Amino acid sequence: MTNHHGVSVNVQGGGSSTGYRAAKSGAAQIGMLSRRLKAEEADVIPVTIATDAIAVVVHASNPVSGVTTAQLRGIFTGEIRNWRFAGGPDRPIHVITREDGSGTRGSFDETVIGDGMVMSSAVVQDSNGAILETVASDPNAIGYVSLGLVDDRVRAVALDGVPPTHDTARSGEYKIVRPFIFATRGKPAGIVKEFIDFVLSDHGQAVLEENGLIREKTGERQ
């Protein structure tokens, strides 16, 4: 907006499915998704602008520093309900998850839960920030958030011995990663193309990197 006087960029939330629908219907010139497009969503044009690692987080006081994928699946499906079965203290586990339609939830479920179901008693939050605040205030909680949001009130645990970092996500060693996508109803043109080009520029990518994302050097289509 600084470089384009008279242009207003309005950003609204609502989840990745909402982003897709807004792009398809034309309600938004750009729909934002934090997951890959589904097969039935091929009627929009995607551009990957960055990659994000999803960190599994526990309270800073929790001594558990890592879990296996099998343990994590067991915790979120309700098969493991006490921290002692994951190398922690004899305390109940409080599971915090995102709502259906969330790109973060979709990527986490695809990688970790598979064909299983998140336990019905899990606390559902509608944003990464809400999950972070909940875990930061509950010594027994576990949740997942974008890596860039992790602060010293929580601990990001290793998965199968691999810590969530930009390097491990970029190399593919850390498995819970997802693309950040701009979706448009047709081929981007005019100010829409200029905005996407700005986000893919060195300056735009640096801004994303400063906010905890992994830069997309090529901006290749999905």
Side-chain angles (χ1 to χ4, degrees), residues 12 21 53 73 92 109 128 171 183 188-189 193 213:
Q12 298 181 14
R21 289 193 295 268
R73 183 182 303 112
D109 285 0
N128 277 264
S171 69
K193 183 178 185 302
L213 300 180

Side-chain angles (χ1 to χ4, degrees), residues 88-100:
D90 185 7
R91 297 201 305 249
I93 299 174
H94 298 162
V95 173
I96 319 297
T97 191
R98 285 293 303 275
E99 78 285 3
D100 287 334

Side-chain angles (χ1 to χ4, degrees), residues 14-216:
S16 293
S17 295
T18 299
Y20 158 72
R21 289 193 295 268
K24 178 184 177 181
S25 68
Q29 291 167 295
I30 299 173
M32 297 189 292
L33 298 89
S34 57
R35 60 165 171 76
R36 295 193 179 279
L37 291 176
K38 300 174 183 178
E40 63 269 24
E41 297 172 337
D43 47 2
V44 295
I45 298 176
V47 176
T48 301
I49 63 164
T51 301
D52 181 38
I54 300 174
V56 177
V57 293
V58 298
H59 191 272
S61 67
N62 192 324
V64 173
S65 59
V67 293
T68 66
T69 298
Q71 286 175 323
L72 190 59
R73 183 182 303 112
I75 289 170
F76 275 81
T77 58
E79 295 175 16
I80 299 175
R81 294 174 179 260
N82 193 295
W83 279 111
R84 72 177 184 272
F85 296 115
D90 185 7
R91 297 201 305 249
I93 299 174
H94 298 162
V95 173
I96 319 297
T97 191
R98 285 293 303 275
E99 78 285 3
D100 287 334
S102 156
T104 313
R105 167 77 177 266
S107 296
F108 180 85
D109 285 0
E110 180 182 346
T111 306
V112 177
I113 305 301
D115 294 332
M117 295 283 290
V118 173
M119 60 192 297
S120 60
S121 59
V123 174
V124 178
Q125 297 288 10
D126 63 1
S127 70
N128 277 264
I131 285 188
L132 185 71
E133 294 299 326
T134 303
V135 174
S137 63
D138 183 354
N140 295 330
I142 184 170
Y144 50 89
V145 299
S146 291
L147 179 59
L149 294 179
V150 174
D151 59 29
D152 58 8
R153 298 175 299 159
V154 298
R155 174 185 294 111
V157 300
L159 183 64
D160 297 323
V162 180
T165 67
H166 281 195
D167 288 341
T168 58
R170 188 178 290 111
S171 69
E173 295 174 88
Y174 186 76
K175 300 302 182 183
I176 315 179
V177 296
R178 39 83 177 271
F180 274 15
I181 290 173
F182 280 171
T184 56
R185 185 162 61 171
K187 184 177 180 180
I191 194 64
V192 173
K193 183 178 185 302
E194 288 186 49
F195 180 76
I196 294 174
D197 288 345
F198 166 76
V199 173
L200 293 174
S201 71
D202 286 341
H203 178 69
Q205 291 289 295
V207 172
L208 296 182
E209 202 165 43
E210 288 169 7
N211 284 275
L213 300 180
I214 300 165
R215 66 168 59 216
E216 180 71 19

